[in-house]
Amino acid sequence: MSRAGRKWGGVAALAAFAVLALAGCDNDQQSVLDPVSHPARDIESLWWWMLAGAVVIFLGAVGLLGLSWLRRDRGGLPVFGDNEGVARGFVVVFGILIPIVALVALFTIGNIFVLPVTQAPAAGSTSLTVEVVGHQWWWEVRYPGTKAVTANEIHIPVSTRVLLVGRSADVIHSFWAPNLNRKIDVMPGRENRILLYSDRVGRFRGQCAEFCGLQHAHMGLYVYVEPKDEFDAWLRRMSTPAAAPSGSQAQRGRDLFASMPCAGCHTIRGTSAAGKLGPDLTHVASRETLAALTIPNDRGYLAAWIDDPQHFKPGNRMPALHFEGSELEDLVAYLEGLE
Ligand code: CUA
């Protein structure tokens, strides 16, 4: 390739990167810079002020460095000349005074203004509680007072203060839905709480933010913020037992599920399957993704996931089982009916 060709190739690659990076700014994407609540907005403005301060200090330092390089053959300071007192003054102002002022200001604003806004809501001050349990590597979601149990997808009503109680079933994870609030650690033997609130309807991505093992990066979640009546209908549906299989293929699938090791790890409410290790599958077909946002939840991916779970998410707890004849299709037909 010619030199000009390489240059334009580089420009095209940069442009493509910029387009991809900007595509990440979609409404439903995980972003600190697209806040939907008071705490998230305070975190965002703190971030912008920190960036602005850092830019000023960085440009100042680089400017002084450039100036000293330009004047490398001359002695003394510009304007002030060879003055020991002024030189010492610069060191005191830029090396001691400005860092102290900047750090004290950051500490004060962060701790006195922003941190209290992001604190957990007072006990009894919210009308809805969501329990989130971190597992390697997925999120269990419960709605106390109802039978609803789901995984990796949290639904909340819009403009409603929701208390999120975070726990862990194994190691330390961190729950983080940055459009809504700051992160909280979820730890074994401890409960941490945070406010979940959004004044905008939408789907917001969240992520485990504490390294928790091989598939830490594939421990994503969605927060769905819905109009109140839509949320109520969803919660009612999630609280019901699983739908009965329709058709003989799905019936064979249900019997297989009960007789194979599946039922030892997964619960399907309304059936004999009551395992506690994996996600509750009572309404698995209503979920948008499988394996904590790793793959879409459709017939093809569902079959591929059951056939070889280690292919998509190596190290996860789900073993590959051996299927014969139409067994896999039967199982998928049953699970696909669990709306
Ligand atoms: Cu769970 Cu990282």
Side-chain angles (χ1 to χ4, degrees):
M1 202 192 276
S2 70
R3 182 178 289 183
R6 269 203 300 275
K7 182 180 155 204
W8 286 111
V11 170
L14 261 180
F17 175 77
V19 167
L20 283 177
L22 288 174
C25 303
D26 257 1
N27 260 352
D28 63 352
Q29 285 309 305
Q30 177 182 316
S31 172
V32 176
L33 302 180
D34 183 22
V36 293
S37 69
H38 183 183
R41 271 188 277 275
D42 276 15
I43 292 169
E44 187 209 19
S45 35
L46 178 63
W47 187 85
W48 280 114
W49 280 106
M50 280 171 67
L51 180 69
V55 164
V56 169
I57 290 169
F58 177 75
L59 291 182
V62 170
L64 288 176
L65 203 63
L67 191 64
S68 68
W69 183 78
L70 286 175
R71 294 174 48 88
R72 62 194 177 282
D73 296 331
R74 281 182 274 172
L77 296 163
V79 184
F80 302 101
D82 222 348
N83 184 327
E84 182 84 6
V86 174
R88 196 177 299 122
F90 273 125
V91 172
V92 170
V93 170
F94 288 106
I96 301 174
L97 218 59
I98 291 183
I100 287 179
V101 169
L103 291 178
V104 167
L106 260 183
F107 181 85
T108 311
I109 295 169
N111 281 277
I112 297 184
F113 296 106
V114 179
L115 210 58
V117 175
T118 70
Q119 286 310 21
S125 73
T126 60
S127 54
L128 181 68
T129 299
V130 181
E131 283 177 11
V132 173
V133 186
H135 294 258
Q136 282 176 317
W137 294 280
W138 58 282
W139 304 94
E140 177 184 344
V141 183
R142 294 176 172 271
Y143 291 78
T146 76
K147 291 196 162 69
V149 185
T150 181
N152 308 315
E153 299 188 359
I154 302 173
H155 289 238
I156 61 169
V158 70
S159 301
T160 306
R161 286 158 48 81
V162 178
L163 170 67
L164 184 143
V165 179
R167 287 198 302 271
S168 171
D170 36 50
V171 300
I172 300 176
H173 306 270
S174 175
F175 177 91
W176 190 36
N179 303 69
L180 285 83
N181 209 334
R182 66 174 163 90
K183 53 185 88 155
I184 49 162
D185 280 355
V186 300
M187 314 195 212
R190 209 197 134 97
E191 269 183 16
N192 280 338
R193 290 151 184 265
I194 199 167
L195 174 77
L196 220 50
Y197 179 91
S198 170
D199 49 30
R200 201 164 82 210
V201 165
R203 187 189 73 177
F204 304 99
R205 195 184 185 284
Q207 171 68 39
C208 178
E210 173 92 33
F211 182 74
C212 55
L214 196 55
Q215 292 297 337
H216 154 70
H218 282 146
M219 193 168 163
L221 64 103
Y222 280 136
V223 179
Y224 295 84
V225 182
E226 297 166 327
K228 181 88 172 72
D229 50 348
E230 227 172 89
F231 167 77
D232 289 341
W234 175 84
L235 191 59
R236 268 197 305 276
R237 200 164 69 247
M238 289 303 118
S239 307
T240 57
S246 64
S248 56
Q249 191 185 28
Q251 264 163 28
R252 284 198 303 276
R254 180 195 56 191
D255 298 342
L256 263 174
F257 193 96
S259 63
M260 293 188 81
C262 317
C265 292
H266 295 281
T267 291
I268 297 181
R269 279 171 277 135
T271 74
S272 59
K276 296 279 177 238
L277 278 178
D280 183 299
L281 300 180
T282 308
H283 297 285
V284 65
S286 71
R287 300 206 276 265
E288 213 174 325
T289 73
L290 295 170
L293 275 53
T294 308
I295 48 176
N297 184 12
D298 63 25
R299 180 175 283 261
Y301 273 110
L302 181 58
W305 168 257
I306 298 171
D307 194 40
D308 186 7
Q310 299 301 318
H311 170 76
F312 294 104
K313 207 167 173 179
N316 85 79
R317 300 275 154 87
M318 180 152 153
L321 303 173
H322 180 70
F323 298 103
E324 275 167 2
S326 70
E327 284 179 345
L328 182 58
E329 287 99 283
D330 296 348
L331 211 47
V332 169
Y334 172 52
L335 293 172
E336 284 250 285
L338 300 181
E339 285 279 353

